[in-house]
Amino acid sequence: DSPFYGGGGGGYLSQGSPFGSGGGSPGGSTRPATSHSIRPVTLRQLAEASQEHSDAPWKIGEQEVGQVMVVAAVLSVQAQTTNVVYLLDDGTANYEARQWVDPNSDDETKREISESSYVRVLGSLKMFGQKRYITATHIREIARETVADELMHHIANVATTELIFERGPPPRPSEGGVVKNTNAVNTGSAPSASAYTAGARSTANNNAYASLSPLQRQIVDFMLSQPKTDEGIHVAAIARHVASSGGVGDANLIRLLSSKALDELMDDGHVYTTIDESHFLVSE
């Protein structure tokens, strides 16, 4: 029943697709499917979103966007008669979110968000004058003990969404592990494997790596391909490799995802730190 997940999981409304429902209304309206969907985003993506004219839909890159979801820290809270203005920061940009309130209502729940807390915000992108902001339909303060988990979950959702828009959805088992690139020009040649499956080629025959995720396998493959030194490989070099082969443009997202994957590999004993916590070697 949560408005943040819509019952469909993955942060999207239950329309049968992460891109929303494509069906029209009984009256024949063909409202774009994206207007029904919830897209996880960073604040930087919102700051760089474009609009052809004041009545046109907002676009992130080439994709139209309807409702958006962000996870961010609250820098300030400004309560006014008709709305509450939250200044948000997610590490990529600062951005305002406004939640409108009924001045005649006794409901104070919309005024309880405190500064320095983390929140999950659901709303739509608006502009008044030359100022952009999120018109928030729901704001939920995140419990301190779950902030790290929700941040990483949101970052992973953002990165996954970007990959889906760039390459199409991940392959089904019946498709032989080949990713469909819905944006690629058909050249008549067979599609090649991508970052979804690249790691499986060189680690598939090693049972020690059978349970690794594609990102973890990609990291291990890269580390194994490098000359072995006592110093190890710096996390920045690993993040650059993931960025160059994975196609996700936001450096902050890549760095965070790589660090999380390395932490999990270290917890499972596949890698270990060397001269400091930023240098790693594969356990062999």
Side-chain angles (χ1 to χ4, degrees), residues 62-127:
E62 297 299 320
Q63 302 294 336
E64 294 183 8
V65 60
Q67 297 188 78
V68 297
M69 183 183 294
V70 300
V71 174
V74 179
L75 298 183
S76 66
V77 181
Q78 184 180 0
Q80 303 178 14
T81 303
T82 58
N83 63 82
V84 182
V85 181
Y86 303 94
L87 180 59
L88 307 176
D89 177 15
D90 68 351
T92 67
N94 292 349
Y95 213 86
E96 280 189 0
R98 295 172 180 258
Q99 189 174 39
W100 299 93
V101 298
D102 182 356
N104 299 317
S105 173
D106 294 330
D107 183 8
E108 293 293 323
T109 58
K110 295 182 179 180
R111 302 175 186 266
E112 293 177 354
I113 303 297
S114 57
E115 293 182 5
S116 302
S117 63
Y118 278 81
V119 291
R120 184 178 289 273
V121 180
L122 172 64
S124 56
L125 185 57
K126 301 292 182 182
M127 177 180 286

Side-chain angles (χ1 to χ4, degrees), residues 9-12 18-19 38-42 45 63 151-171 179-180 182-183 194-196 213-215 242 246-250 253-254 257 260:
Y12 296 99
F19 306 102
I38 303 173
R39 178 170 175 176
V41 296
T42 64
Q45 286 178 303
Q63 302 294 336
L151 277 172
M152 292 310 302
H153 181 266
H154 180 73
I155 290 168
N157 270 347
V158 173
T160 300
T161 302
E162 286 296 297
L163 286 171
I164 289 174
F165 278 124
E166 290 179 10
R167 306 180 179 191
V179 178
K180 290 184 176 180
T182 56
N183 295 325
S194 73
Y196 286 103
S213 69
L215 175 58
V242 173
V248 182
D250 194 313
L253 294 180
I254 290 296
L257 287 172
K260 178 175 172 60

Side-chain angles (χ1 to χ4, degrees), residues 172-225:
R172 299 177 181 178
S174 61
E175 295 170 348
V178 176
V179 178
K180 290 184 176 180
N181 187 343
T182 56
N183 295 325
V185 177
N186 184 4
T187 60
S189 59
S192 60
S194 73
Y196 286 103
T197 55
R201 292 196 300 272
S202 56
T203 59
N205 295 328
N206 191 328
N207 291 333
Y209 303 132
S211 62
L212 299 186
S213 69
L215 175 58
Q216 291 172 331
R217 290 187 178 188
Q218 184 181 2
I219 289 174
V220 171
D221 282 342
F222 170 70
M223 295 177 69
L224 290 173
S225 70

